[in-house]
Amino acid sequence: LGTGDLDGAEKYARRALSTLQLVLEPQDSALAEPLGFLASVLERQKRPEEALTLAELAAEIEGEQQAFYQLEYVGALLRAG
């Protein structure tokens, strides 16, 4: 994201997420980070509905980072209006 290539970031994030989803259970804590990253990319692309869906999925995954992703979801909700 530092280069501003949001389309490239989205492509990379979707590929990584798809790969992980093939080998992990749906609630595996390792999915929260790629879900959150993709949500962030989509939000920066002005696609709040898609971003909120993914941010919510990340927030629902139990693990040591759950509180972080819950706060990220609340922030996305507030930014979406």
Side-chain angles (χ1 to χ4, degrees), residues 26-47:
Q27 290 297 310
D28 193 300
S29 62
L31 290 174
E33 184 175 353
L35 283 166
F37 179 78
L38 181 53
S40 176
V41 171
L42 293 171
E43 188 174 0
R44 290 179 187 189
Q45 290 177 320
K46 308 290 189 241
R47 295 160 62 188

Side-chain angles (χ1 to χ4, degrees), residues 46-79:
K46 308 290 189 241
R47 295 160 62 188
E49 295 84 14
E50 292 174 84
L52 283 172
T53 299
L54 295 174
E56 184 176 17
L57 289 172
E60 291 173 349
I61 295 175
E62 293 182 13
E64 65 181 55
Q65 295 294 317
Q66 186 175 19
F68 171 80
Y69 290 108
Q70 288 172 336
L71 289 172
E72 287 290 308
Y73 176 60
V74 169
L77 281 171
L78 292 172
R79 289 186 293 275

